[in-house]
Amino acid sequence: MSNTNRIVIIGATSAMAEHCARLWVQGKSVDLTLVGRDTQRVERVAADLRVRSPQSEIGVTTSDFLDPTAIRNTVDEIAARGVIHTVLIAHGSLPEQDDCQDNLEVCRDALEINGVSPVLFAEAFAKHMSQNNSGTLALIGSVAGDRGRKSNYVYGAAKGMVTRYAQGLQHRFANTGIKVILIRPGPTATPMTTHLVGKGPRMASAEDVARKIVEAIDRGQTNVYVPRKWAVIMLIIRHLPNSIFNKMDI
Amino acid sequence: MRPVSAWGRLDAASHDVVSLHDPAKIACQITSKPRGIAHGNGRSYGDVCLNPDGVLWHTTGLNHFISFDQSSGRLVCEAGVLLREIQRLVIPLGWILPVTPGTQLVTVGGAIANDVHGKNHHVLGSFGDHVQRIRLLRTVGQTIECGPQDNADWFAATVGGLGLTGIIVEAEIQLCRVAGPWLATDTVPYANLGEFFQLADESEADWQHTVSWLDCLDARGRGLFMRGNPTDVCNRPDPQSRKRTMPIIPPVSLVNPLSLRAFNMAYFHLKKWRAGQAIAHYESFFYPLDNILEWNRIYGPKGFYQYQCVVPRDVGQDATRAMLGEIARCSEGSFLAVLKTFGERQPVGMLSFPRPGVTLALDFPQKGLRTQMLFDRLDGIVREAGGRIYAAKDARMPRSLFEAGYPRLSEFMKYRDSGISSGLSRRLMGS
Ligand SMILES: Cc1cc2nc3c(=O)[nH]c(=O)nc-3n(C[C@H](O)[C@H](O)[C@H](O)COP(=O)(O)OP(=O)(O)OC[C@H]3O[C@@H](n4cnc5c(N)ncnc54)[C@H](O)[C@@H]3O)c2cc1C
């Protein structure tokens, strides 16, 4: 098994992550560890991947996603099983902005699951990767993290934290064997966003986004917007002066 | 609420769309809502997969394989898996879906609910003939496991049951052995319907797949008969599939008597010129249109109908000739006129469409009254011949013709789920 690509996915039941996994096992044998919160849901993803790629090794682990000790133990256990080549941290949940404003518990939960939790996982993996001086760590951020907007700034704030964190990690691992990749998807059609279909811009499919993520990881591109047009859109949004930005209903 | 239309794009009524993506959650999703209907990949042409102003349960999130036994060819998967996913997975492993329709962009649930047929009906029947087990979830929360042996009555109601007996959550399908992705094909031009029937009779014993394209503007019924058999050639590179999208919805239908005549003429003569034997990849032979995404836009903003009927073989030739006569007379019709014979086998489902006979399928741009009047005349011929119309393609047949065509309808009604309703069920069954 030593030549087999070893990949770990945190939040493996997320639609994007799952499509990445399907691409990774396509026609190849990989050693894949799926980490999720709910055994039944992760097992469903694993069973599907085993049918797609009987020759691959598909392992399943569950963990608490908010407890630092549980996160540390989960990551240590996975790392103890051998050198990890790629980690994809993909979990998240899209809260209603109004609910976050009304209910501080919802607000805190949204900040923790979209911001704190990915950072803790990444930090735990970073420790092992720095010991081996190798590996690729990919984090899924969001265009929502580029500038706070009234329609989803709590989610955006958490994703902004991931962005800033990834920048720091990229700086830390510059000139080492470790690659840190930040992927910022635009609105993507997933079960998390079905209620938004038809309300905003046309959404990218989770499959297409996954294809771009897998490509970015293969090529070692460090900062990726998918679809690419979002790089331009966000460049403009980030630089709009407040006087204009504040008039926009976005 | 948001607008959703079916493949014919006749209208885009507003629907409350609910995505079913977690099998563990479906029960509470479908019980806690007003009446809905399952919607697979929306490849039905009319209102069988719609529920205007009501709930639509999108099933494409149920897209997981569950198990595959490579030695027996038994595949278990969730109902939202696309047939294309299955084909691409299993063909390299030496297995193939026994029956598929003319597009592989349909879900397993949709293929069961319409009991779809392919080019090999005369050999292998329809999709439901190969389903071994269905897990059906009713809106009262009850789960029913059914198959050809267990709960066979539920199985017969659900195969071809137009989504009205419950939500199909998963299914087990028996696949067929296949040597590889290639077919040995043969294209034979024919000058009239008599020749078509002769070719069909001659070909059925030796060819697994048969279908014919018909020049619907030619009242004699000239066309091209295409037949194919799996082959074990394997020293060919996989074709590169090029995807094209119809980029816009043209303001008017691009299908008009002039373009139609030109296309049919060109298609017939080009193909005739290149007729004969060839080796074809299964995707281009079975699903020629799948690489042209959204080709349904060509009919413009008003959309189009497909008219597909089957009439018994003994009156098949006369009835088909009469229908072609009507169509040619008003210069209507489509690029895609398809004529095929069904084999001598009774379908599994109470409301399955295929029955022994000959089936004709044509697209018609929606032109209001003019189109309706043509359909009335075609209906008359079908009724007279003792035939039936395919619900998957329908958006307008009169209730009396539905009742006449589907004699097991009253038996079927006992299995309906009272929490489920569609545009079609209200139109043809009253609720
Ligand atoms: C280019 C083209 C070629 C075609 N060729 C053929 C052909 O050769 N032969 C043929 O038979 N048909 C053919 N069809 C029609 C197509 O095969 C059927 O309409 C098929 O049922 C579409 O499947 P879908 O997944 O898109 O389902 P939809 O169209 O979304 O739904 C079809 C029916 O299935 C029900 N349904 C879907 N999922 C479920 C579920 N999980 N549980 C319960 N009910 C469910 C829906 O309620 C509805 O009644 C063709 C269509 C196109 C566009």
Side-chain angles (χ1 to χ4, degrees):
Chain A
M1 261 339 232
S2 59
N3 291 331
T4 316
N5 201 3
R6 182 140 189 264
I7 304 172
V8 181
I9 303 180
I10 309 295
T13 58
S14 102
M16 280 179 212
E18 187 175 0
H19 282 291
C20 289
R22 288 180 182 181
L23 292 169
W24 274 321
V25 301
Q26 206 172 67
K28 288 184 293 282
S29 120
V30 293
D31 178 331
L32 198 58
T33 305
L34 308 177
V35 185
R37 280 169 276 191
D38 174 335
T39 313
Q40 211 185 340
R41 291 183 58 213
V42 201
E43 283 293 355
R44 174 175 173 237
V45 174
D48 173 76
L49 294 168
R50 286 182 192 122
V51 172
R52 288 171 196 269
S53 180
Q55 69 277 24
S56 288
E57 188 78 41
I58 316 282
V60 164
T61 303
T62 50
S63 174
D64 187 323
F65 274 37
L66 296 176
D67 173 14
T69 313
I71 292 173
R72 173 70 75 198
N73 290 340
T74 305
V75 172
D76 286 350
E77 265 167 43
I78 295 170
R81 274 179 256 141
V83 175
I84 302 165
H85 299 101
T86 304
V87 174
L88 174 66
I89 298 180
H91 59 287
S93 81
L94 187 63
E96 289 287 346
Q97 173 65 25
D98 291 347
D99 296 346
C100 294
Q101 287 164 217
D102 290 346
N103 183 334
L104 292 186
E105 282 185 20
V106 174
C107 186
R108 180 201 55 203
D109 291 350
L111 290 169
E112 286 188 344
I113 199 67
N114 292 301
V116 177
S117 173
V119 166
L120 295 182
F121 270 109
E123 206 49 42
F125 280 111
K127 182 177 163 210
H128 294 283
M129 287 187 170
S130 68
Q131 279 162 8
N132 298 323
N133 191 29
S134 77
T136 298
L137 185 60
L139 288 133
I140 298 188
S142 166
V143 295
D146 278 18
R147 184 167 187 175
R149 290 177 293 114
K150 64 181 170 189
S151 55
N152 69 352
Y153 61 81
V154 172
Y155 176 76
K159 289 294 191 180
M161 177 177 182
V162 173
T163 302
R164 203 58 81 234
Y165 169 81
Q167 258 173 16
L169 207 59
Q170 283 167 349
H171 194 204
R172 173 178 159 198
F173 288 134
N175 312 315
T176 71
I178 301 159
K179 279 233 149 56
V180 177
I181 294 180
L182 175 66
I183 295 127
R184 272 171 276 196
T188 305
T190 65
M192 189 167 102
T193 57
T194 33
H195 61 290
L196 299 175
V197 172
K199 287 189 183 145
R202 198 188 167 123
M203 298 205 208
S205 78
E207 236 170 313
D208 289 343
V209 171
R211 193 160 292 120
K212 295 281 157 37
I213 295 174
V214 168
E215 269 172 31
I217 291 175
D218 277 351
R219 296 204 197 120
Q221 286 168 285
T222 44
N223 276 290
V224 189
Y225 285 89
V226 271
R228 271 220 301 271
K229 65 176 181 196
W230 285 96
V232 180
I233 299 173
M234 293 322 292
L235 184 77
I236 298 168
I237 301 260
R238 277 199 311 271
H239 290 93
L240 278 178
N242 277 339
S243 56
I244 299 175
F245 185 70
N246 288 344
K247 290 200 185 94
M248 294 169 72
D249 192 20
I250 54 173
Chain B
M1 301 290 271
R2 66 176 155 103
V4 180
S5 53
W7 190 247
R9 307 184 69 258
L10 287 164
D11 47 26
S14 158
H15 289 80
D16 179 6
V17 177
V18 176
S19 156
L20 307 183
H21 50 83
D22 183 348
K25 287 196 191 137
I26 302 175
C28 58
Q29 284 182 297
I30 64 172
T31 43
S32 63
K33 287 275 182 182
R35 299 205 298 176
I37 185 80
H39 185 92
N41 208 30
R43 251 46 179 195
S44 296
Y45 285 68
D47 52 0
V48 71
C49 59
L50 297 177
N51 187 17
D53 303 316
V55 176
L56 213 55
W57 296 306
H58 257 263
T59 63
T60 45
L62 300 172
N63 59 4
H64 293 75
F65 291 114
I66 296 168
S67 66
F68 178 46
D69 182 340
Q70 283 201 46
S71 56
S72 66
R74 285 285 177 106
L75 175 78
V76 183
C77 66
E78 292 172 2
V81 171
L82 291 182
L83 302 191
R84 185 173 66 184
E85 289 274 290
I86 298 178
Q87 297 287 60
R88 290 188 174 174
L89 174 74
V90 302
I91 290 178
L93 301 173
W95 294 96
I96 191 168
L97 278 166
V99 171
T100 59
T103 168
Q104 55 180 345
L105 300 172
V106 310
T107 64
V108 167
I112 295 173
N114 277 327
D115 192 12
V116 300
H117 58 271
K119 298 176 173 47
N120 58 352
H121 182 271
H122 57 285
V123 185
L124 291 177
S126 53
F127 197 87
D129 284 302
H130 309 277
V131 175
Q132 301 299 323
R133 185 178 58 82
I134 290 172
R135 174 171 296 162
L136 187 71
L137 191 59
R138 307 266 290 171
T139 59
V140 286
Q142 172 197 20
T143 299
I144 298 175
E145 300 275 348
C146 59
Q149 266 85 45
D150 312 314
N151 288 320
D153 54 338
W154 281 100
F155 185 71
T158 301
V159 171
L162 313 176
L164 298 171
T165 62
I167 299 288
I168 300 164
V169 180
E170 62 177 67
E172 182 171 339
I173 306 164
Q174 175 64 54
L175 306 179
C176 280
R177 283 266 182 214
V178 75
W182 301 96
L183 292 126
T185 68
D186 186 27
T187 304
V188 190
Y190 58 87
N192 58 51
L193 283 181
E195 286 184 22
F196 162 81
F197 280 97
Q198 204 182 338
L199 272 166
D201 287 338
E202 284 167 16
S203 304
E204 282 180 5
D206 297 331
W207 297 86
Q208 276 193 23
H209 304 281
T210 65
V211 69
S212 95
W213 172 85
L214 186 81
D215 180 349
C216 62
L217 297 181
D218 180 274
R220 287 161 305 175
R222 73 168 174 192
L224 300 158
F225 195 92
M226 292 166 251
R227 45 196 188 182
N229 272 329
T231 158
D232 57 7
V233 297
C234 55
N235 52 351
R236 277 163 192 262
D238 266 6
Q240 295 290 321
S241 76
R242 256 185 310 166
K243 284 209 171 66
R244 298 248 165 84
T245 300
M246 173 74 187
I248 52 154
I249 303 163
V252 293
S253 170
L254 298 181
V255 183
N256 56 52
L258 198 67
S259 67
L260 199 58
R261 197 162 290 282
F263 173 87
N264 281 10
M265 182 85 80
Y267 187 80
F268 181 77
H269 286 288
L270 275 176
K271 280 271 195 177
K272 187 176 168 183
W273 178 55
R274 296 179 53 185
Q277 301 188 347
I279 298 288
H281 189 259
Y282 78 95
E283 289 197 340
S284 62
F285 183 74
F286 290 141
Y287 322 114
L289 286 170
D290 279 1
N291 276 333
I292 313 169
L293 301 170
E294 306 194 80
W295 59 260
N296 52 343
R297 292 176 166 188
I298 194 172
Y299 291 92
K302 290 196 190 139
F304 68 109
Y305 292 95
Q306 182 162 111
Y307 193 93
Q308 182 169 6
C309 62
V310 54
V311 292
R313 191 74 165 253
D314 52 348
V315 292
Q317 194 161 336
D318 292 341
T320 309
R321 182 172 296 115
M323 286 192 276
L324 290 178
E326 291 293 348
I327 295 160
R329 228 182 25 206
C330 52
S331 301
E332 291 294 338
S334 57
F335 304 145
L336 283 181
V338 174
L339 193 59
K340 146 131 200 87
T341 46
F342 283 150
E344 287 296 320
R345 38 156 82 220
Q346 291 308 315
V348 177
M350 296 174 188
L351 297 187
S352 291
F353 168 68
R355 51 157 292 170
V358 51
T359 178
L360 173 67
L362 298 123
D363 294 340
F364 295 95
Q366 141 83 314
K367 290 189 186 160
L369 197 59
R370 208 169 128 188
T371 320
Q372 299 308 325
M373 279 162 57
L374 171 62
F375 288 155
D376 287 345
R377 294 197 294 275
L378 300 181
D379 285 352
I381 299 167
V382 173
R383 194 188 300 262
E384 177 91 347
R388 58 169 65 142
I389 287 177
Y390 191 7
K393 311 282 182 77
D394 180 56
R396 40 67 49 197
M397 79 168 117
R399 193 164 164 177
S400 61
L401 184 55
F402 181 61
E403 286 166 358
Y406 292 88
R408 294 180 75 184
L409 180 59
S410 56
E411 185 189 348
F412 169 81
M413 293 301 276
K414 295 195 279 269
Y415 299 91
R416 271 199 66 176
D417 184 319
S418 58
I420 294 182
S421 175
S422 64
L424 179 133
S425 78
R426 290 194 288 280
R427 180 164 60 83
L428 296 176
M429 302 174 192
S431 70

